[in-house]
Amino acid sequence: MKKILYTAMVFALLIGNTSCSEDQLDPTVAQEKDFNLSINTEEDLEGILAGAYNRLSIETYYGRDYIVFNEVRSDNAFSNANSNRFVTAGQLEILPSDAYPTDTWSRIYSVIGSANIIINAENIEGDAAFINQMKGEALVLRAMAHFDLVRLFGQQHVTGGTSPGGVPYVTTFRDEENFFPARNTVEEVKNLALADIDAALAMMSTSLDGSKEFITTSAANAIKARIALYFGDMTTAATAAKSVIDSEKFSVASETEFASTFSEDNAVNSIFEIAMSPTDNRGINGLANIFLDTSYGDVVVLDNFLTIFDDDDIRIGEDFIEVDGKGFTRNIGKYPSSTFDDNISIIRYEEVILTYAEAMLTVDPAVSLQYLNMIPAQRNASLYTEATLDNILLERRKELAFEGARFHDLVRIGQGIPLLDPLQQTHKGVPYGSFNLAFPIPNSEADVNSNVSQNKGF
């Protein structure tokens, strides 16, 4: 089912019998009190769920910004300020009044709001198993969204950060007894997210799994593995990753097919992706236009990045990297279409393989090495002779570049952002523990919700 159908469902919901509007489905944490919504049938739930998926695709979330934030704040890429986009993000000089934290905070909580409507809906008419499947999808979306928020706004990597240092974990929609929820701790956010996914897996069925443009049982386990790895819970990460591997539904993209997987919907290595179509996409505000040599084209590859690869590695070959007429090194292989209709990969099988390799590192180094080498074996790259954390992180950097993983990989192991090129990187190097490794809580939230304290340094 393509994203054009997401839009059709949302449109039908908004003009149908339910009493709601698009604005009403976009709550921030400090939620408005006047709301009237009637959800009665599985079709109503389906429309709300389609709206949640649609919100993932907006440029202020996975449609662009959330991915770019975590590349320009790393040793992979920088902003050349061609259209003055992502300059302050790359400098790590974000302010609470800026659009970046404001829009992303609001957008992610709007996904959570839609998910909560579905999760808490009662007495719904329709097929019970299908209703449970949709509730499961919503639970996973809620878990992923809170996890994404805490990675961006949480204080877990800031020395002496604000306490509690997580984000509000919101489980109701405009609850009159909790209009202004307080911040949870980071540990609470982690535990609640994992519990949501466990609850989802208990009610979902593999027989009802949809396409890769929807949360499936495999996507739920892949996201669970990602969350667990980030927080260092290697047992949970290994178990969840192995569930995806044992499903035998995916494969590492081969050397000959790898490039095409970024322009092909539902590719062999895709676990969860956001649908884009020729008529419904982010257009000039999407990922392609910010990476390619266009009127925007602000996100440029650091020259040093290329030095980590073997010369013949396909990931720096002509299908993936080129130098433009101004001398800037460009990512052209991921988000390649100038018509902006490539689906956006949220989680690929290769990430799950590397998660399993890392989770097994201290348990069984031989198994860890086996899984680590599954990736370079298909990239015309040298195999590793030893499984080490440095080698696994190096392979993650190579394989997942420009997909929004690198910043999180650096900080989760206690590293700051290295200064590799003082001319290209404008942040001058950011040591681990610095206050600006976290985004500020936007003024739009902190000014109206006294229960949400501002982050250290802002």
Side-chain angles (χ1 to χ4, degrees):
M1 194 182 303
K2 293 293 293 179
K3 182 172 175 285
I4 191 168
L5 185 52
Y6 298 169
T7 307
M9 287 180 178
V10 175
F11 181 73
L13 174 69
L14 298 180
I15 65 172
N17 294 326
T18 51
S19 176
C20 66
S21 71
E22 181 74 9
D23 290 341
Q24 285 175 312
L25 294 178
D26 278 343
T28 59
V29 177
Q31 301 163 31
E32 299 176 11
K33 298 183 181 181
D34 55 332
F35 185 77
N36 179 26
L37 178 65
S38 176
I39 301 294
N40 300 307
T41 68
E42 67 178 68
E43 289 78 15
D44 294 338
L45 284 189
E46 195 170 9
I48 298 290
L49 183 60
Y53 283 115
N54 190 59
R55 288 179 176 85
L56 290 178
S57 75
I58 304 302
E59 60 267 20
T60 49
Y61 195 7
Y62 275 114
R64 186 188 63 187
D65 292 3
Y66 195 83
I67 290 172
V68 172
F69 290 153
N70 301 308
E71 294 298 327
V72 298
R73 297 188 301 157
S74 80
D75 48 2
N76 284 349
F78 70 102
S79 172
N80 67 1
N82 191 57
S83 68
N84 209 35
R85 285 168 170 79
F86 299 102
V87 175
T88 56
Q91 294 170 334
L92 279 83
E93 293 183 358
I94 298 287
L95 298 176
S97 58
D98 288 352
Y100 288 139
T102 301
D103 294 346
T104 299
W105 175 278
S106 176
R107 177 57 56 196
I108 298 179
Y109 272 111
S110 77
V111 173
I112 293 167
S114 296
N116 282 334
I117 294 172
I118 298 163
I119 294 163
N120 297 313
E122 298 178 342
N123 302 317
I124 302 299
E125 299 173 3
D127 181 86
F130 184 54
I131 290 168
N132 279 340
Q133 189 81 2
M134 287 190 287
K135 285 178 175 282
E137 292 177 53
L139 280 163
V140 177
L141 290 175
R142 183 169 79 181
M144 183 180 75
H146 282 105
F147 173 59
D148 289 341
L149 281 164
V150 84
R151 288 193 293 173
L152 194 61
F153 295 96
Q155 296 282 273
Q156 60 271 23
H157 304 298
V158 176
T159 301
T162 300
S163 180
V167 296
Y169 203 100
V170 181
T171 59
T172 55
F173 185 78
R174 298 185 176 176
D175 182 354
E176 63 183 12
E177 296 181 358
N178 192 30
F179 278 121
F180 301 102
R183 295 176 74 159
N184 289 84
T185 67
V186 173
E187 183 74 9
E188 287 169 342
V189 173
K190 178 196 78 171
N191 291 337
L192 288 165
L194 291 174
D196 270 351
I197 295 178
D198 286 341
L201 287 167
M203 62 174 47
M204 295 175 72
S205 169
T206 56
S207 66
L208 293 176
D209 282 343
S211 77
K212 296 174 181 180
E213 294 157 0
F214 294 85
I215 294 292
T216 61
T217 52
S218 292
N221 274 309
I223 292 166
K224 182 179 180 180
R226 176 186 282 180
I227 295 172
L229 184 77
Y230 178 85
F231 287 111
D233 182 353
M234 296 304 176
T235 300
T236 300
T239 301
K242 197 61 163 58
S243 293
V244 178
I245 294 166
D246 289 346
S247 74
E248 300 183 343
K249 295 179 179 178
F250 313 96
S251 61
V252 174
S254 69
E255 179 180 341
T256 56
E257 67 188 347
F258 184 52
S260 67
T261 64
F262 294 100
S263 57
E264 175 187 341
D265 298 349
N266 294 290
V268 295
N269 61 343
S270 175
I271 297 176
F272 177 46
E273 61 192 55
I274 292 175
M276 297 289 171
S277 78
T279 57
D280 192 359
N281 57 67
R282 303 326 307 160
I284 63 171
N285 292 316
L287 284 158
N289 209 45
I290 208 71
F291 277 106
L292 300 178
D293 183 18
T294 65
S295 58
Y296 287 7
D298 297 73
V299 181
V300 180
V301 181
L302 280 166
D303 292 339
N304 174 272
F305 174 74
L306 303 183
T307 66
I308 68 174
F309 293 88
D310 295 340
D311 290 343
D312 295 326
D313 192 313
I314 62 171
R315 292 169 293 193
I316 57 168
E318 62 182 7
D319 289 330
F320 286 93
I321 298 292
E322 75 173 13
V323 178
D324 68 20
K326 298 176 183 178
F328 289 122
T329 303
R330 295 281 178 184
N331 157 45
I332 63 168
K334 298 179 180 180
Y335 331 111
S337 174
S338 60
T339 55
F340 317 123
D341 57 351
D342 300 315
N343 282 5
I344 299 171
S345 176
I346 301 301
I347 191 159
R348 294 193 282 119
Y349 187 58
E350 288 87 351
E351 178 184 341
V352 172
I353 291 295
L354 292 171
T355 293
Y356 189 65
E358 186 172 343
M360 293 299 291
L361 180 59
T362 60
V363 178
D364 192 333
V367 169
S368 178
L369 181 62
Q370 173 193 348
Y371 279 84
L372 170 60
N373 276 329
M374 287 182 180
I375 310 303
Q378 298 295 336
R379 303 292 180 261
N380 199 33
S382 300
L383 301 185
Y384 296 92
T385 59
E386 183 183 7
T388 65
L389 181 59
D390 285 345
N391 284 343
I392 293 169
L393 291 170
L394 175 61
E395 191 59 30
R396 284 179 62 91
R397 186 183 177 196
K398 293 176 181 179
E399 181 67 17
L400 304 177
F402 319 124
E403 297 177 50
R406 183 57 178 168
F407 173 83
H408 301 309
D409 277 349
L410 287 169
V411 295
R412 71 178 173 85
I413 62 165
Q415 292 187 14
I417 305 173
L419 181 63
L420 304 177
D421 188 326
L423 295 179
Q424 294 180 329
Q425 292 173 291
T426 54
H427 54 65
K428 308 308 177 185
V430 183
Y432 185 77
S434 298
F435 79 93
N436 52 352
L437 290 176
F439 267 34
I441 304 297
N443 284 342
S444 60
E445 190 64 50
D447 288 352
V448 298
N449 184 356
S450 61
N451 292 323
V452 173
S453 53
Q454 184 54 266
N455 281 340
K456 177 185 176 180
F458 298 101

PDB file of all heavy atoms in Angstrom, residues 424-450:
ATOM      1  N   GLN A 424      35.647  22.630   7.031  1.00  0.00           N
ATOM      2  CA  GLN A 424      34.335  22.112   6.685  1.00  0.00           C
ATOM      3  C   GLN A 424      33.426  21.979   7.910  1.00  0.00           C
ATOM      4  O   GLN A 424      32.234  22.252   7.830  1.00  0.00           O
ATOM      5  CB  GLN A 424      34.483  20.756   5.988  1.00  0.00           C
ATOM      6  CG  GLN A 424      35.180  20.843   4.638  1.00  0.00           C
ATOM      7  CD  GLN A 424      35.308  19.488   3.955  1.00  0.00           C
ATOM      8  OE1 GLN A 424      35.420  18.454   4.603  1.00  0.00           O
ATOM      9  NE2 GLN A 424      35.304  19.488   2.627  1.00  0.00           N
ATOM     10  N   GLN A 425      33.978  21.532   9.025  1.00  0.00           N
ATOM     11  CA  GLN A 425      33.191  21.384  10.248  1.00  0.00           C
ATOM     12  C   GLN A 425      33.263  22.681  11.043  1.00  0.00           C
ATOM     13  O   GLN A 425      34.341  23.121  11.439  1.00  0.00           O
ATOM     14  CB  GLN A 425      33.719  20.227  11.091  1.00  0.00           C
ATOM     15  CG  GLN A 425      33.503  18.856  10.473  1.00  0.00           C
ATOM     16  CD  GLN A 425      34.199  17.766  11.277  1.00  0.00           C
ATOM     17  OE1 GLN A 425      35.423  17.711  11.301  1.00  0.00           O
ATOM     18  NE2 GLN A 425      33.416  16.921  11.924  1.00  0.00           N
ATOM     19  N   THR A 426      32.119  23.277  11.306  1.00  0.00           N
ATOM     20  CA  THR A 426      32.085  24.587  11.954  1.00  0.00           C
ATOM     21  C   THR A 426      31.858  24.503  13.456  1.00  0.00           C
ATOM     22  O   THR A 426      31.782  25.537  14.120  1.00  0.00           O
ATOM     23  CB  THR A 426      30.983  25.452  11.319  1.00  0.00           C
ATOM     24  OG1 THR A 426      29.743  24.733  11.359  1.00  0.00           O
ATOM     25  CG2 THR A 426      31.325  25.787   9.881  1.00  0.00           C
ATOM     26  N   HIS A 427      31.765  23.289  14.004  1.00  0.00           N
ATOM     27  CA  HIS A 427      31.525  23.169  15.450  1.00  0.00           C
ATOM     28  C   HIS A 427      32.815  23.140  16.259  1.00  0.00           C
ATOM     29  O   HIS A 427      32.780  23.198  17.483  1.00  0.00           O
ATOM     30  CB  HIS A 427      30.693  21.927  15.755  1.00  0.00           C
ATOM     31  CG  HIS A 427      31.265  20.659  15.207  1.00  0.00           C
ATOM     32  ND1 HIS A 427      32.451  20.120  15.623  1.00  0.00           N
ATOM     33  CD2 HIS A 427      30.804  19.814  14.234  1.00  0.00           C
ATOM     34  CE1 HIS A 427      32.708  18.996  14.974  1.00  0.00           C
ATOM     35  NE2 HIS A 427      31.724  18.794  14.101  1.00  0.00           N
ATOM     36  N   LYS A 428      33.955  22.988  15.605  1.00  0.00           N
ATOM     37  CA  LYS A 428      35.279  23.017  16.242  1.00  0.00           C
ATOM     38  C   LYS A 428      35.545  21.832  17.161  1.00  0.00           C
ATOM     39  O   LYS A 428      36.462  21.871  17.982  1.00  0.00           O
ATOM     40  CB  LYS A 428      35.490  24.339  17.025  1.00  0.00           C
ATOM     41  CG  LYS A 428      35.227  25.603  16.224  1.00  0.00           C
ATOM     42  CD  LYS A 428      35.999  25.614  14.921  1.00  0.00           C
ATOM     43  CE  LYS A 428      35.677  26.860  14.088  1.00  0.00           C
ATOM     44  NZ  LYS A 428      36.325  26.818  12.757  1.00  0.00           N
ATOM     45  N   GLY A 429      34.748  20.787  17.031  1.00  0.00           N
ATOM     46  CA  GLY A 429      34.931  19.607  17.878  1.00  0.00           C
ATOM     47  C   GLY A 429      34.094  19.722  19.135  1.00  0.00           C
ATOM     48  O   GLY A 429      34.106  20.755  19.810  1.00  0.00           O
ATOM     49  N   VAL A 430      33.348  18.654  19.440  1.00  0.00           N
ATOM     50  CA  VAL A 430      32.444  18.685  20.586  1.00  0.00           C
ATOM     51  C   VAL A 430      32.746  17.485  21.479  1.00  0.00           C
ATOM     52  O   VAL A 430      32.457  16.345  21.097  1.00  0.00           O
ATOM     53  CB  VAL A 430      30.965  18.655  20.139  1.00  0.00           C
ATOM     54  CG1 VAL A 430      30.046  18.774  21.348  1.00  0.00           C
ATOM     55  CG2 VAL A 430      30.686  19.777  19.139  1.00  0.00           C
ATOM     56  N   PRO A 431      33.326  17.712  22.662  1.00  0.00           N
ATOM     57  CA  PRO A 431      33.649  16.575  23.530  1.00  0.00           C
ATOM     58  C   PRO A 431      32.401  15.935  24.129  1.00  0.00           C
ATOM     59  O   PRO A 431      31.362  16.592  24.290  1.00  0.00           O
ATOM     60  CB  PRO A 431      34.523  17.204  24.621  1.00  0.00           C
ATOM     61  CG  PRO A 431      34.153  18.643  24.629  1.00  0.00           C
ATOM     62  CD  PRO A 431      33.770  18.988  23.214  1.00  0.00           C
ATOM     63  N   TYR A 432      32.521  14.652  24.433  1.00  0.00           N
ATOM     64  CA  TYR A 432      31.410  13.954  25.079  1.00  0.00           C
ATOM     65  C   TYR A 432      31.099  14.620  26.415  1.00  0.00           C
ATOM     66  O   TYR A 432      31.997  14.984  27.163  1.00  0.00           O
ATOM     67  CB  TYR A 432      31.760  12.483  25.310  1.00  0.00           C
ATOM     68  CG  TYR A 432      30.595  11.688  25.858  1.00  0.00           C
ATOM     69  CD1 TYR A 432      29.562  11.290  25.026  1.00  0.00           C
ATOM     70  CD2 TYR A 432      30.523  11.366  27.220  1.00  0.00           C
ATOM     71  CE1 TYR A 432      28.484  10.581  25.527  1.00  0.00           C
ATOM     72  CE2 TYR A 432      29.446  10.656  27.728  1.00  0.00           C
ATOM     73  CZ  TYR A 432      28.430  10.263  26.876  1.00  0.00           C
ATOM     74  OH  TYR A 432      27.353   9.568  27.368  1.00  0.00           O
ATOM     75  N   GLY A 433      29.813  14.772  26.703  1.00  0.00           N
ATOM     76  CA  GLY A 433      29.367  15.429  27.923  1.00  0.00           C
ATOM     77  C   GLY A 433      28.945  16.867  27.722  1.00  0.00           C
ATOM     78  O   GLY A 433      28.331  17.469  28.618  1.00  0.00           O
ATOM     79  N   SER A 434      29.265  17.463  26.560  1.00  0.00           N
ATOM     80  CA  SER A 434      28.898  18.853  26.302  1.00  0.00           C
ATOM     81  C   SER A 434      27.389  19.027  26.263  1.00  0.00           C
ATOM     82  O   SER A 434      26.658  18.159  25.779  1.00  0.00           O
ATOM     83  CB  SER A 434      29.498  19.317  24.967  1.00  0.00           C
ATOM     84  OG  SER A 434      30.898  19.269  24.986  1.00  0.00           O
ATOM     85  N   PHE A 435      26.929  20.179  26.733  1.00  0.00           N
ATOM     86  CA  PHE A 435      25.486  20.422  26.809  1.00  0.00           C
ATOM     87  C   PHE A 435      24.831  20.399  25.441  1.00  0.00           C
ATOM     88  O   PHE A 435      23.666  20.018  25.293  1.00  0.00           O
ATOM     89  CB  PHE A 435      25.217  21.761  27.508  1.00  0.00           C
ATOM     90  CG  PHE A 435      25.414  22.976  26.622  1.00  0.00           C
ATOM     91  CD1 PHE A 435      24.346  23.522  25.912  1.00  0.00           C
ATOM     92  CD2 PHE A 435      26.663  23.562  26.493  1.00  0.00           C
ATOM     93  CE1 PHE A 435      24.521  24.632  25.096  1.00  0.00           C
ATOM     94  CE2 PHE A 435      26.855  24.672  25.681  1.00  0.00           C
ATOM     95  CZ  PHE A 435      25.787  25.208  24.978  1.00  0.00           C
ATOM     96  N   ASN A 436      25.575  20.807  24.391  1.00  0.00           N
ATOM     97  CA  ASN A 436      24.949  20.929  23.077  1.00  0.00           C
ATOM     98  C   ASN A 436      24.902  19.620  22.294  1.00  0.00           C
ATOM     99  O   ASN A 436      24.535  19.611  21.127  1.00  0.00           O
ATOM    100  CB  ASN A 436      25.620  22.018  22.252  1.00  0.00           C
ATOM    101  CG  ASN A 436      27.135  21.886  22.165  1.00  0.00           C
ATOM    102  OD1 ASN A 436      27.731  21.049  22.841  1.00  0.00           O
ATOM    103  ND2 ASN A 436      27.752  22.723  21.337  1.00  0.00           N
ATOM    104  N   LEU A 437      25.232  18.503  22.940  1.00  0.00           N
ATOM    105  CA  LEU A 437      24.963  17.213  22.322  1.00  0.00           C
ATOM    106  C   LEU A 437      23.471  16.896  22.346  1.00  0.00           C
ATOM    107  O   LEU A 437      23.018  15.971  21.668  1.00  0.00           O
ATOM    108  CB  LEU A 437      25.747  16.104  23.026  1.00  0.00           C
ATOM    109  CG  LEU A 437      27.263  16.117  22.805  1.00  0.00           C
ATOM    110  CD1 LEU A 437      27.928  15.027  23.630  1.00  0.00           C
ATOM    111  CD2 LEU A 437      27.617  15.968  21.331  1.00  0.00           C
ATOM    112  N   ALA A 438      22.719  17.627  23.126  1.00  0.00           N
ATOM    113  CA  ALA A 438      21.254  17.505  23.148  1.00  0.00           C
ATOM    114  C   ALA A 438      20.628  18.768  22.575  1.00  0.00           C
ATOM    115  O   ALA A 438      21.153  19.871  22.768  1.00  0.00           O
ATOM    116  CB  ALA A 438      20.753  17.268  24.569  1.00  0.00           C
ATOM    117  N   PHE A 439      19.525  18.605  21.887  1.00  0.00           N
ATOM    118  CA  PHE A 439      18.750  19.759  21.446  1.00  0.00           C
ATOM    119  C   PHE A 439      18.082  20.407  22.665  1.00  0.00           C
ATOM    120  O   PHE A 439      17.758  19.722  23.639  1.00  0.00           O
ATOM    121  CB  PHE A 439      17.659  19.314  20.464  1.00  0.00           C
ATOM    122  CG  PHE A 439      18.054  19.383  19.016  1.00  0.00           C
ATOM    123  CD1 PHE A 439      19.353  19.133  18.609  1.00  0.00           C
ATOM    124  CD2 PHE A 439      17.113  19.674  18.037  1.00  0.00           C
ATOM    125  CE1 PHE A 439      19.718  19.179  17.267  1.00  0.00           C
ATOM    126  CE2 PHE A 439      17.459  19.722  16.693  1.00  0.00           C
ATOM    127  CZ  PHE A 439      18.762  19.479  16.309  1.00  0.00           C
ATOM    128  N   PRO A 440      17.834  21.714  22.604  1.00  0.00           N
ATOM    129  CA  PRO A 440      17.054  22.348  23.667  1.00  0.00           C
ATOM    130  C   PRO A 440      15.571  21.989  23.561  1.00  0.00           C
ATOM    131  O   PRO A 440      15.075  21.693  22.468  1.00  0.00           O
ATOM    132  CB  PRO A 440      17.265  23.839  23.411  1.00  0.00           C
ATOM    133  CG  PRO A 440      17.465  23.928  21.924  1.00  0.00           C
ATOM    134  CD  PRO A 440      18.231  22.671  21.557  1.00  0.00           C
ATOM    135  N   ILE A 441      14.888  21.994  24.700  1.00  0.00           N
ATOM    136  CA  ILE A 441      13.430  21.896  24.663  1.00  0.00           C
ATOM    137  C   ILE A 441      12.912  23.179  24.016  1.00  0.00           C
ATOM    138  O   ILE A 441      13.325  24.279  24.393  1.00  0.00           O
ATOM    139  CB  ILE A 441      12.846  21.756  26.086  1.00  0.00           C
ATOM    140  CG1 ILE A 441      13.467  20.555  26.807  1.00  0.00           C
ATOM    141  CG2 ILE A 441      11.330  21.655  26.037  1.00  0.00           C
ATOM    142  CD1 ILE A 441      13.198  19.216  26.171  1.00  0.00           C
ATOM    143  N   PRO A 442      12.050  23.092  23.018  1.00  0.00           N
ATOM    144  CA  PRO A 442      11.594  24.313  22.341  1.00  0.00           C
ATOM    145  C   PRO A 442      10.811  25.228  23.275  1.00  0.00           C
ATOM    146  O   PRO A 442      10.097  24.774  24.172  1.00  0.00           O
ATOM    147  CB  PRO A 442      10.707  23.783  21.212  1.00  0.00           C
ATOM    148  CG  PRO A 442      10.294  22.413  21.638  1.00  0.00           C
ATOM    149  CD  PRO A 442      11.439  21.877  22.433  1.00  0.00           C
ATOM    150  N   ASN A 443      10.960  26.520  23.070  1.00  0.00           N
ATOM    151  CA  ASN A 443      10.212  27.491  23.880  1.00  0.00           C
ATOM    152  C   ASN A 443       8.714  27.272  23.776  1.00  0.00           C
ATOM    153  O   ASN A 443       7.979  27.516  24.740  1.00  0.00           O
ATOM    154  CB  ASN A 443      10.538  28.914  23.432  1.00  0.00           C
ATOM    155  CG  ASN A 443      11.893  29.375  23.921  1.00  0.00           C
ATOM    156  OD1 ASN A 443      12.466  28.802  24.848  1.00  0.00           O
ATOM    157  ND2 ASN A 443      12.432  30.428  23.294  1.00  0.00           N
ATOM    158  N   SER A 444       8.261  26.825  22.619  1.00  0.00           N
ATOM    159  CA  SER A 444       6.827  26.605  22.431  1.00  0.00           C
ATOM    160  C   SER A 444       6.284  25.596  23.423  1.00  0.00           C
ATOM    161  O   SER A 444       5.087  25.584  23.716  1.00  0.00           O
ATOM    162  CB  SER A 444       6.553  26.131  21.003  1.00  0.00           C
ATOM    163  OG  SER A 444       7.235  24.911  20.741  1.00  0.00           O
ATOM    164  N   GLU A 445       7.130  24.725  23.955  1.00  0.00           N
ATOM    165  CA  GLU A 445       6.721  23.756  24.973  1.00  0.00           C
ATOM    166  C   GLU A 445       7.043  24.263  26.368  1.00  0.00           C
ATOM    167  O   GLU A 445       6.179  24.304  27.247  1.00  0.00           O
ATOM    168  CB  GLU A 445       7.422  22.415  24.741  1.00  0.00           C
ATOM    169  CG  GLU A 445       6.887  21.284  25.601  1.00  0.00           C
ATOM    170  CD  GLU A 445       5.438  20.961  25.281  1.00  0.00           C
ATOM    171  OE1 GLU A 445       5.102  20.776  24.105  1.00  0.00           O
ATOM    172  OE2 GLU A 445       4.634  20.917  26.239  1.00  0.00           O
ATOM    173  N   ALA A 446       8.292  24.661  26.581  1.00  0.00           N
ATOM    174  CA  ALA A 446       8.733  25.045  27.927  1.00  0.00           C
ATOM    175  C   ALA A 446       7.977  26.262  28.450  1.00  0.00           C
ATOM    176  O   ALA A 446       7.729  26.365  29.663  1.00  0.00           O
ATOM    177  CB  ALA A 446      10.232  25.323  27.921  1.00  0.00           C
ATOM    178  N   ASP A 447       7.576  27.173  27.563  1.00  0.00           N
ATOM    179  CA  ASP A 447       6.902  28.398  28.006  1.00  0.00           C
ATOM    180  C   ASP A 447       5.466  28.168  28.448  1.00  0.00           C
ATOM    181  O   ASP A 447       4.907  28.989  29.178  1.00  0.00           O
ATOM    182  CB  ASP A 447       6.924  29.443  26.886  1.00  0.00           C
ATOM    183  CG  ASP A 447       8.298  30.041  26.671  1.00  0.00           C
ATOM    184  OD1 ASP A 447       9.200  29.768  27.486  1.00  0.00           O
ATOM    185  OD2 ASP A 447       8.473  30.768  25.671  1.00  0.00           O
ATOM    186  N   VAL A 448       4.861  27.071  28.003  1.00  0.00           N
ATOM    187  CA  VAL A 448       3.455  26.826  28.366  1.00  0.00           C
ATOM    188  C   VAL A 448       3.292  25.626  29.291  1.00  0.00           C
ATOM    189  O   VAL A 448       2.210  25.417  29.840  1.00  0.00           O
ATOM    190  CB  VAL A 448       2.584  26.618  27.111  1.00  0.00           C
ATOM    191  CG1 VAL A 448       2.593  27.865  26.252  1.00  0.00           C
ATOM    192  CG2 VAL A 448       3.036  25.411  26.314  1.00  0.00           C
ATOM    193  N   ASN A 449       4.347  24.848  29.471  1.00  0.00           N
ATOM    194  CA  ASN A 449       4.268  23.652  30.314  1.00  0.00           C
ATOM    195  C   ASN A 449       5.381  23.717  31.356  1.00  0.00           C
ATOM    196  O   ASN A 449       6.530  23.364  31.086  1.00  0.00           O
ATOM    197  CB  ASN A 449       4.411  22.389  29.455  1.00  0.00           C
ATOM    198  CG  ASN A 449       4.231  21.112  30.258  1.00  0.00           C
ATOM    199  OD1 ASN A 449       4.063  21.144  31.481  1.00  0.00           O
ATOM    200  ND2 ASN A 449       4.264  19.980  29.583  1.00  0.00           N
ATOM    201  N   SER A 450       5.032  24.164  32.541  1.00  0.00           N
ATOM    202  CA  SER A 450       6.029  24.332  33.600  1.00  0.00           C
ATOM    203  C   SER A 450       6.566  23.004  34.095  1.00  0.00           C
ATOM    204  O   SER A 450       7.571  22.973  34.820  1.00  0.00           O
ATOM    205  CB  SER A 450       5.419  25.109  34.771  1.00  0.00           C
ATOM    206  OG  SER A 450       4.303  24.407  35.316  1.00  0.00           O
TER     207      SER A 450
END
